[in-house]
């Protein structure tokens, strides 16, 4: 039971570099999400995808782009990384639009930008 | 917009004792879901317990139970017979039931320490 798988687990970037965080789920869920978690803060939603082919902005979308490649995969891209994007990133999925399903989370990606 | 407040940044409890973590939220909606998530040092987010707002009965899951006070917009988590493995960050979360919203709003978390 893999659930939600995120890669990589750790990454260090220089300011201005780009990178893509990968997320895949094997639960046939419709909805997928990207969150960031900063010290002393709860999770904040960056982007979400209610179904394959759709994406919507969350609370903190600036500086990020996403792609819902297929039902399984939802990637998060930083085009030009900034130190303010240093954070732990979580991908999650749920069986939406039925709102009665809780979200399942990946193990997180710790991203440091120098 | 909905907000979730956890007023206790840190709590500690002795092994085998009971501890209660507080959570309040602000919403104008009548239908919604509330969750408690646990995040151990491994960082994985684990669902502990959930509560549907339309249910008056408090949810329970083994040693974990909630005290849901809808009028007061309060959703506290009680951990009974605390174990060393309960040490973690605990996050309260709110999920709307209206308008097709699929977003969770999280509190800032409470760090729970369990002393042997």
């Amino acid at each position: 039971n893999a659930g939600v798988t995120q890669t990589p687990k750790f990454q260090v970037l220089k300011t201005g570099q780009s990178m893509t965080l990968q997320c895949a789920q094997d639960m046939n869920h419709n909805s997928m999400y990207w969150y960031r978690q900063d010290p002393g803060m709860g999770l904040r939603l960056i982007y979400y995808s209610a179904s394959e082919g759709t994406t919507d902005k969350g609370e903190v979308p600036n500086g990020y782009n996403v792609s819902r490649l297929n039902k399984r995969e939802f990637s998060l891209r930083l085009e030009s990384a900034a130190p303010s994007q240093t954070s732990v990133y979580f991908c999650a999925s749920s069986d939406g639009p039925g709102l009665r399903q809780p979200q399942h989370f990946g193990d997180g990606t710790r991203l440091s930008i120098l | 917009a909905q907000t979730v407040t956890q007023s206790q940044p840190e709590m500690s409890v002795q092994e085998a004792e009971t501890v209660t973590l507080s959570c309040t939220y602000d919403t104008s909606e009548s239908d919604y879901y509330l969750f408690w998530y646990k995040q151990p040092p491994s960082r994985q987010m684990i669902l502990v317990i959930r509560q549907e707002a339309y249910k008056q009965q408090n949810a329970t899951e083994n040693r974990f139970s909630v005290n849901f006070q809808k009028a007061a917009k309060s959703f506290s988590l009680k951990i009974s017979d605390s174990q060393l493995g309960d040490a973690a960050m605990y996050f309260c979360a709110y999920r709307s039931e209206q308008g097709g919203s699929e977003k969770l709003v999280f509190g800032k978390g409470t760090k729970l320490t369990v002393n042997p």
Side-chain angles (χ1 to χ4, degrees), chain A residues 9 31 33 35 37 40 42-43 45 48 50 88 90 94 96-97 99-103 105 107-110, chain B residues 33 35 37 39 42-45 47 50 54 91 95-98 100-109:
Chain A
K9 294 193 183 303
S31 302
Y33 313 76
Y35 292 91
Q37 185 184 34
L43 291 169
L45 183 65
Y48 70 102
V88 179
F90 286 92
S94 70
L99 301 177
R100 287 157 181 80
Q101 296 301 318
Q103 294 185 349
F105 288 85
D107 289 346
T109 296
R110 184 174 294 278
Chain B
Y33 288 84
F35 304 89
Y37 280 92
Q39 187 183 39
S42 65
R43 297 209 313 265
Q44 187 173 18
M45 295 288 277
L47 178 66
R50 53 182 283 179
Y54 64 87
F91 291 93
R95 186 172 201 178
S96 175
E97 179 68 3
Q98 297 178 0
S101 171
E102 303 217 24
K103 296 176 282 190
L104 275 175
V105 178
F106 286 86
K108 293 185 178 182

Side-chain angles (χ1 to χ4, degrees), chain A residues 102, chain B residues 36 47-52 55 58-66 75 77-80 86:
Chain B
W36 277 98
L47 178 66
V48 174
I49 199 166
R50 53 182 283 179
Q51 174 80 42
E52 290 91 337
K55 288 187 177 179
N58 290 325
T60 62
E61 286 288 342
N62 302 315
R63 297 183 294 107
F64 298 88
S65 61
V66 297
F75 182 61
L77 174 70
K78 185 172 82 170
I79 306 174
S80 303
D86 294 335

